[in-house]
Every structure is written in C-alpha cells, then in structure tokens.
Amino acid sequence: MENKEIESRINYLRNILNDANYEYYVLDNPTLTDQEFDKYLRELEVLEANHPEFDSPLSPTKKVGGEVIERFKKVRHTIPMLSLPDVFSIEEIEEFDARIVKESIEPSYVCEYKIDGLSVSLHYEKGALVFAATRGDGVVGEDITHNVKTIKSVPFTLKQPIDIEVRGEIFMPKKVLEDLNKDREKKKLPKLQNVRNAAAGSIRQLDSKIAAERKLDTWIYHLPNPEDYGMKTHAEALQFMKDLGFKVNVDANQVVTGIQEIETYVNETAKKRSELPYEIDGIVIKVNRLESQKKLGFTSKYPKWAVAYKFPAEEVLTKLTDIVFTVGRTGRITPNAVLEPVIVMGSTVKRATLHNEDYVLSKDLKIGDIVSIRKAGDVIPEVVEAKLERRTGEEQSFLMITHCPICGNLLEKKKDQVDHYCMNLSCPARKVEGLIHFCSRKAMNIDGLGIEIIEDFFNLGFVKSISDIYFLKEHKNDLIELEGYGNKSVDNLLSAIEDSKLNSLERLLFGLGIEGIGDKTALLLSKLFKTMDAMMNATYEEFKMIRDIGPTLAENLITFFHDEEKIALLEELKTIGVNLTYLGEPEKTHDLISGRRFVLTGTLSFTDRDSLSALLELYGGLTSSSVSKKTDVVIVGENPGSKYDKARELHIEVWDEEKIKNIVESL
Ligand code: IVH
C-alpha cells in the first residue's frame, strides 16, 4: 500500500472504532460485534506500529492506556469549578424553591441524579480532546488527561469541530468495585471502601494502564459557558452535550415545575436507587432557564440556582454480640462493638469503634442489643443507637474494664479526660501498635511489614523495638524457614527495610508516634527544623511559637525528645544509617534524576562516589547502597561488584560511565 492509502485506511479504522465505542459505551447500543471490533482494532494496532509517522494521541488504540506520567501538573480553571450547597430534607428543598419564587423566577427546574464519583472538566479544541482536569480546590485542579483518555465513554472527537469545555462526574460502576474487591481479597489487599474512593484512587494513578483496568465511566451534566452556544435552558444544554457525543443521563434527568413535582422525583428516585448500576448519593435540583440562573448568581462558594439534596445515610440493624477492648500505641483503651456481620453500603461490617466508656454509656448500649449501624462519612461504620423496643431482658450491661486486657496493668484516667490509658511502657500491645504505626504507609512505608507480620515477628522475638526492624537481616535464615516465606519474599522485605532508611525526616518523625503529631504536623516540623538534631535541641517556647502547635503538642514534643530511651533510639537509628534530615523538594530537578533511586557500583574515572551521590541528591535523586526492586538505575564503573549482576537479574536500568559522564556534563 502507498503511504497515502495507509493513512486513509488508518483514518477509516479510527472512525469506525471511535463510532463503535460511542455506540457501545455512550448509547449502550452496539452495532459492531465484539469480534468485528477486535479485528479492526488489531488491524489498526499493526498499521500504527509499522507507521509511527501517523501516530495520534487520540487514536482509539490509546484507550487501553500505557501513558505513564511523572507527576500531576496543576491546571487553573478559567471558570471556577464550584460545588453545590447540600440540603438534607424536603423542607430545605421547599426553602430553596421559596427563595426562587421570591425573586419572581419561574419555578422550572431540572432534577438530576447526584452521581457519587469525582468531578472532571473536559476541554476540546476543534472537536478534539485536549485535556482533562480534576476539580482540585475549585480554582486549581490537576491534569489527569492520560487517565481520562482510557475512559471509554469520553469521546476523543466530537460530532462538531468546536472549542468547548464540559463538566461531569467520573464514577466506578457498582459491579466493577465488587469485582475489584473480590480480586483484592484474593490478593490479601485491603478492600476499597466505596465507589467514590475507588474512582478517585484510580484517577490518581500515574500509570494509565491501571486506570484503564478500573473501567471508569462518566456522566456529563454541566456546560460552563452555555450562552456561547446559544443555549436558553439547562435542559437544552444537556441535550446539546448529548448530541456532541457525551454521555448525558437524559433518561434520568427530568424537567419539573414546582415543589410537588420535585418531591415526586425525589421519592421515585429513592425507590430506584438500589437497582441502578452506579451509586447516586442524592438529587441535584437546578433552575432550568439560564437567564434566571444568571439573575440569581453565585455566593463565594456556590451557585444560588442549584442545590444538592443528599439521601439520608443507609441504616441497617444487627446484633451487638460483644464489646471488646483494644490498646493503642499511646496506651489508650478503646471499646469496640463486635457485630453480627451485616452489609452496609456495599461492604461487610463486623466491628465498629465505640470510642470510650462515656460514649457507650451515653448510648446505653448492652451486649445482646439490636443496634442500628450506619457509615459515617460513608466509610467508617458507626453504631447509631440501641433499639430499646427489641430488648428481651437477656442483655448484659456494659462494664468498663479496670485493667489492661493485654498486660494486666491498672488503667488510668487522666484528669478531665474521657479516655482510659494503660501506662505500662512495656505493654506488648502498645509496643506492637507502635511498630505497626512505624511501618505504616504514611510513616516509613515498609512494604511487607503489615499488621499480622509485625505481630508474628514480635511474638517470635525478632522485632521487639523499632531498631530491631533494621536488624531483621540478621535473622534472614530463620525468616526463610517461616511458613509462607521464601527466599524471594524475604529478600524483598529486607530491601524494603533498607530502602526505608532513605526516607525524608517527616516520615520518621511521624512514625515515631509522638502523641498528637500527625503526618501533616510532622511535615511542618521537618520543613522548619530540617534535622532531627535541631528538633531535639529545640525548646518548649520554640515549639509553641509555631502555628498549629499549641501548649499540649509542645509539651509532648519536649517530653519525647528529653526521654532517655527515645534519645537512645534516635542515636541508634543514626548509627544504623537511617536518614535524619528533611530531604524536601529538591532545589534543582532533572528528568533522568529527580525522584529516582540510584545505586553506584565499581570505580568511576571522572569522579568519586561520594561526590556523585551528592550531585544526584542535589537534583532530587536518592542513593542507596543495595540493589532492590525499587532501584531505578544502577550506575556501573570499572570492576563492578555483585550489584551489577543483581541489576541485570532484576532488569534494572544500567548506566555506564559514558552515560553518567554525559549527564553530569550537561547539568
Ligand atoms: S452540577 C455549578 N450536577 O456533586 C454546578 N454536580 O456537591 C456544578 N455531582 O462538585 C455541579 N452529580 O462533583 C452537578 N448531576 C450533577 C451532579 C453533580 C454529581 C457532584 C459534583 C459536584 C458535587 C456538588
């Protein structure tokens, strides 16, 4: 085939496949069979592979993902992406309607489903997708084009070659979350709590292959500049966007007049809600006439022409079979409800925190009670109340424990506080919780040291304190012998532990578990003090001067840094080689260096290893002494050691002297 012919065949195939995607994913009315679709797609893939000169970022072959970005770029919204004021009752919708009528505005509204996902802004130029952004804080969002491109219902090209921005919701269908969680359960990964978090997590992936696997979808519901396209009503704008090729929920949306019709829509939707293949968490009611919208205008946060009615949180009944106590890393005792397993909003609930003694007493909970459960913030299960009318007389009253359930120490209650504490610093429960916290994702983020493994290692005596984690390598042979372990998983675990030594100060500071110091405060302190030494030498007054640090936190910091055991621990960590400085944002960046992990081996003729390490670190690279899965590049000089073999075995990028010399000279 001539080049011209090839180009036109490519264009022909792209059109067929784009249309097929539209018919399948937007209209839900496929015209091609799956076999035909696959045949055309394969033909196109082969042509594109052989003719990169005709590559297009908007080819339907790109829907499978593959693009990987380094970081999310910020995008400023030309028109702010506002959210909506929430209302929770029909009375509040009536108040909204009354405000509209009071302004002599005709009460004609569009009622829509409130889709439970995350909002997105899609930008097209001459009918072609140019970029997609999240809402962010409403003014500045993040560029998520690489992931949005994998969503099948997002058109690459519109039916008209116009410039336009539209907004809508990215969501994960209920069935997709169900399947994903089944798969995660098999892999022993924690389940994703709800469709919103799952969709948001998928969109926040740097690698678009992962987003593509998550089978996200869209409903488009907002045209920010309707007048530019001659629209008179919101309903017209919705139809216009549908005609352009977007997925618009026209079957669900309804134009209504007056409060009575809104109420009917709300009630009917509430009945249908559980049958829908996607989650909705309410109804959005928007004034239909755009002129009226303009007249009503905006507050600083919201449009005055729309409200979001939120459905009440689903409450489910179950039996409170027991109340058990757990000991946190600060020694705090928490009573927990043990429940007959019950499904609330898509996931099984077996336990719920009861916070403290006062909480249980104020709800008058008894063991054996039938209680109602709901998910606070849709994620954390909460016991709402005991159903007193269901009591049989067999229920047992709640009694707060007086001694630690783990070490038996007498519990203490601090003055004016509701919580009970086990003050025994050697209480195994406190120690284990402290270790779990140290290794957790927001702290030292040591892959492979999860809750159960830490408990096992603690009970086996391998890890009794934080510094023991770094001596686990001395038990390598014992670890390999343990059930469920092998050479490879032990190697991975030990590498993850070694890698954690390179973490920036804030992770360590947070991981130390100083009372009241969360990850945000740890970051703030690390940025201000730069080194652990500087923090250890700071005074109470210096801490208290910092915004966000009150007298209690300042006191906690001083107590911690003056405790002999803690000072010894920090000294030990320093000797072990754990980084105690804030690495922060690098002052300089380089595409091939910043954020990557390097290992150096062999001798280099143009520089020595220490100078090169310092240079790499200056550009935001991290250097480590051993090769692991997480290593990005191994720099190999003359007479390299076994690190070079390991790099090849793990297929890690290798730079020779020539390559690093060129890069260094270009800096
Ligand atoms: S309209 C200026 N319509 O709910 C109007 N929002 O609480 C912008 N949402 O941030 C929003 N379904 O993420 C609109 N049919 C719908 C919606 C909807 C879900 C989300 C959206 C928004 C939030 C407001």
Side-chain angles (χ1 to χ4, degrees), residues 80-86 111-120 135 167-170 219-222 234 238 253 281-286 298 302-303 305-308 310:
M81 274 182 93
L82 299 181
S83 70
L84 300 173
D86 287 334
C111 290
E112 298 174 10
Y113 291 173
K114 186 168 182 316
I115 313 297
D116 202 2
L118 69 147
S119 41
V120 66
R135 175 168 176 269
R167 294 177 182 175
E169 203 82 351
I170 293 178
W219 285 119
I220 300 300
Y221 49 64
H222 185 61
H234 175 60
L238 289 170
N253 302 339
D281 58 344
I283 306 289
V284 179
I285 303 143
K286 303 172 179 173
F298 297 88
Y302 303 124
W305 42 262
V307 283
K310 298 279 284 268

Side-chain angles (χ1 to χ4, degrees), residues 173-376:
K174 289 180 191 169
K175 176 82 172 59
V176 175
L177 179 67
E178 233 173 74
D179 292 347
L180 188 65
N181 273 340
K182 272 189 208 145
D183 191 48
R184 289 175 73 88
E185 209 170 358
K186 272 192 221 139
K187 294 182 180 150
K188 298 220 158 39
L189 292 167
K191 286 209 216 166
L192 301 174
Q193 283 295 340
N194 56 41
V195 284
R196 184 168 7 101
N197 290 0
S202 309
I203 277 298
R204 279 213 56 85
Q205 299 290 333
L206 295 170
D207 180 349
S208 64
K209 268 251 155 47
I210 303 177
E213 282 163 11
R214 297 290 176 86
K215 300 199 184 80
L216 300 173
D217 203 342
T218 52
W219 285 119
I220 300 300
Y221 49 64
H222 185 61
L223 180 61
N225 264 326
E227 294 84 2
D228 291 0
Y229 307 91
M231 301 292 124
K232 293 268 181 294
T233 63
H234 175 60
E236 258 176 53
L238 289 170
Q239 187 59 45
F240 173 62
M241 294 190 288
K242 178 163 172 62
D243 293 341
L244 285 174
F246 293 106
K247 188 165 165 184
V248 179
N249 211 349
V250 283
D251 291 340
N253 302 339
Q254 198 176 316
V255 179
V256 300
T257 313
I259 185 72
Q260 200 52 51
E261 285 186 28
I262 299 181
E263 206 175 323
T264 310
Y265 184 89
V266 168
N267 292 334
E268 281 178 1
T269 308
K271 275 190 231 149
K272 285 186 224 158
R273 180 183 177 197
S274 62
E275 315 281 300
L276 295 172
Y278 47 87
E279 284 294 352
I280 62 173
D281 58 344
I283 306 289
V284 179
I285 303 143
K286 303 172 179 173
V287 168
N288 190 19
R289 287 197 66 78
L290 296 172
E291 223 174 55
S292 309
Q293 287 190 2
K294 218 173 187 168
K295 185 168 164 203
L296 287 157
F298 297 88
T299 69
S300 63
K301 271 168 82 179
Y302 303 124
K304 289 187 188 166
W305 42 262
V307 283
Y309 165 77
K310 298 279 284 268
F311 291 130
E314 185 192 3
E315 281 188 22
V316 188
L317 297 186
T318 189
K319 191 171 183 179
L320 174 65
T321 55
D322 201 358
I323 296 178
V324 295
F325 299 88
T326 47
V327 189
R329 73 189 143 83
T330 55
R332 194 172 74 191
I333 308 291
T334 309
N336 299 278
V338 180
L339 304 161
E340 245 166 40
V342 64
I343 294 179
V344 191
M345 299 183 73
S347 59
T348 309
V349 175
K350 296 184 212 150
R351 280 212 183 205
T353 174
L354 297 173
H355 307 288
N356 51 52
E357 179 186 20
D358 286 8
Y359 185 88
V360 185
L361 295 178
S362 71
K363 291 200 180 279
D364 183 25
L365 298 178
K366 294 187 180 201
I367 295 167
D369 268 340
I370 299 297
V371 291
S372 63
I373 307 295
R374 105 177 140 207
K375 284 209 183 155

Side-chain angles (χ1 to χ4, degrees), residues 438 443-447 466-474 493-508 572-583 597 617 622-626 628 630:
F438 184 81
M444 295 301 266
N445 193 20
I446 305 180
D447 251 5
I466 285 176
S467 43
D468 287 347
I469 294 172
Y470 294 98
F471 293 111
L472 257 178
K473 54 186 170 201
E474 292 175 6
L493 174 63
L494 295 179
S495 307
I497 292 172
E498 281 305 298
D499 285 346
S500 76
K501 291 183 183 172
L502 300 174
N503 284 336
S504 182
L505 177 62
E506 66 277 14
R507 284 187 173 273
L508 174 63
E572 199 170 3
L573 290 176
K574 192 191 271 184
T575 321
I576 289 168
V578 174
N579 169 55
L580 300 178
T581 57
Y582 173 63
L583 303 175
R597 288 174 187 258
E617 279 162 19
L622 298 164
T623 53
S624 149
S625 55
S626 61
S628 78
K630 286 194 180 159

Side-chain angles (χ1 to χ4, degrees), residues 427-439:
C427 172
R430 289 188 61 166
K431 290 208 153 175
V432 170
E433 289 299 323
L435 290 166
I436 292 171
H437 175 74
F438 184 81
C439 300

